[in-house]
Amino acid sequence: MIDSAPRAVVTGGSEPTMLSSGVIEASGEIPVDEAERIVVLSERSDSGWRATLDGAELDPVEIDGWAQGFQVPAGAGGEVDVHRDQPLRLLWQLLLYSATGLTALLSIPWRVRSRTVEEMYG
């Protein structure tokens, strides 16, 4: 079986550490290392990304001119959590559900009132 590459990796230090990652989030335990390291995401650099190490905010950096990264200070280790702030997500979901409901409502065939033959043809 061929494994796919992780979406988040901690580089630098003694060896790379791969983080468990989903579509938008990544998390995992990183060991203490005396070297400064970088959490590298396979995502475009954007101000919406946030990362914490045991609750402390990590400084964002741009990797290779395009990728999102976060600086892990020397001597630090613990639970790292990476996520993307999406403040308008709830609004977009409500609009999507409303549009879906309206589409379903409009697709219901309207019942024509029944008329007798005399009413239709005189």
Side-chain angles (χ1 to χ4, degrees):
M1 175 188 233
I2 298 175
D3 291 332
S4 62
R7 296 176 53 88
V9 176
V10 180
T11 60
S14 57
E15 65 181 55
T17 304
M18 294 168 211
L19 300 176
S20 173
S21 56
V23 174
I24 297 179
E25 298 140 358
S27 63
E29 188 77 24
I30 59 172
V32 174
D33 198 320
E34 295 306 315
E36 189 173 275
R37 295 168 288 170
I38 295 180
V39 177
V40 180
L41 304 180
S42 61
E43 295 289 340
R44 181 177 49 86
S45 182
D46 188 334
S47 62
W49 289 103
R50 301 282 183 260
T52 58
L53 180 63
D54 285 339
E57 191 86 16
L58 296 177
D59 294 328
V61 293
E62 189 174 286
I63 310 295
D64 294 333
W66 72 273
Q68 180 66 53
F70 295 95
Q71 207 165 20
V72 178
E79 182 71 25
V80 66
D81 178 44
V82 180
H83 62 279
R84 182 167 167 75
D85 284 339
Q86 298 177 341
L88 297 177
R89 183 176 182 191
L90 179 60
L91 176 64
W92 282 114
Q93 285 177 332
L94 290 172
L95 288 172
L96 175 66
Y97 296 144
S98 299
T100 302
L102 183 61
T103 302
L105 181 66
L106 291 174
S107 68
I108 297 172
W110 296 101
R111 182 175 179 197
V112 179
R113 68 179 180 148
S114 58
R115 294 185 279 176
T116 63
V117 175
E118 289 82 22
E119 288 177 335
M120 288 175 35
Y121 298 108

